[in-house]
Amino acid sequence: MSSPLAPAEERLMRMTIDLAVENARSGQGGPFAAMIARASEVIATGVNLVTSTNDPTAHAEMVAIRKACATLGTFQLAACDLYTSCEPCPMCMGAIYWARPARVFYAGTASDAGAAGFDDLLILRELRLPLEARHIPMTQLLREESLAAFRIWEQKSDRVRY
């Protein structure tokens, strides 16, 4: 569903789409790009680098979020907007919620990505299944021992909440 964009929003989305087109042409990675802006000023950009870096987490949104956080010296992007050439996948949605941008604008849909061979439906289906029914086995080990780290964290008076 599209809605009217302000001139700055349209400009930033067009820039993001142009980055995605160039990335698709270059063969550097998949046909995806993202941009982080604050007050219509570009803070960081990212393109999909999965295949060129052999990093399955190097999605455009992840790359842009990492760069923006490094540039701004913070792990949250509260006053920023994220522009992405396609509706974010489940991994990127998790990172977006952790980064807490003010708004997210996207161009293509998950269905558009699926039609081009980037289908997130398997992941979405898996997340709905109980752990024991998932395609990749998930086995819990040493839970009691792992709780020590949480106890230490909870007692720290100088912890940074996120």
Side-chain angles (χ1 to χ4, degrees), residues 62-146:
M62 303 290 279
V63 172
I65 288 169
R66 288 174 185 143
K67 286 181 181 179
C69 288
T71 296
L72 297 173
T74 182
F75 57 88
Q76 293 185 344
L77 302 172
C80 298
D81 293 328
L82 185 146
Y83 294 81
T84 180
S85 62
C86 191
E87 185 177 357
C89 76
M91 174 184 68
C92 293
M93 282 302 297
I96 289 165
Y97 274 91
W98 281 113
R100 294 180 178 90
R103 301 179 297 178
V104 175
F105 298 96
Y106 67 95
T109 66
S111 295
D112 298 331
F118 298 92
D119 194 353
D120 299 335
L121 287 179
L122 170 70
I123 298 168
L124 293 170
R125 282 189 210 110
E126 287 284 309
L127 291 173
R128 292 183 191 121
L129 293 174
L131 293 175
E132 63 277 1
R134 293 184 181 172
H135 180 73
I136 297 174
M138 308 282 282
T139 306
Q140 185 178 34
L141 297 173
L142 303 176
R143 177 179 177 267
E144 289 302 317
E145 288 86 339
S146 76

Side-chain angles (χ1 to χ4, degrees), residues 23-87:
N23 203 53
R25 283 191 180 124
S26 75
Q28 184 172 289
F32 304 100
M35 181 178 294
I36 308 288
R38 184 171 61 190
S40 300
E41 177 188 335
V42 176
I43 303 298
T45 63
V47 294
N48 181 285
L49 299 172
V50 170
T51 57
S52 63
T53 62
N54 294 318
D55 179 354
T57 70
H59 288 200
E61 296 92 339
M62 303 290 279
V63 172
I65 288 169
R66 288 174 185 143
K67 286 181 181 179
C69 288
T71 296
L72 297 173
T74 182
F75 57 88
Q76 293 185 344
L77 302 172
C80 298
D81 293 328
L82 185 146
Y83 294 81
T84 180
S85 62
C86 191
E87 185 177 357

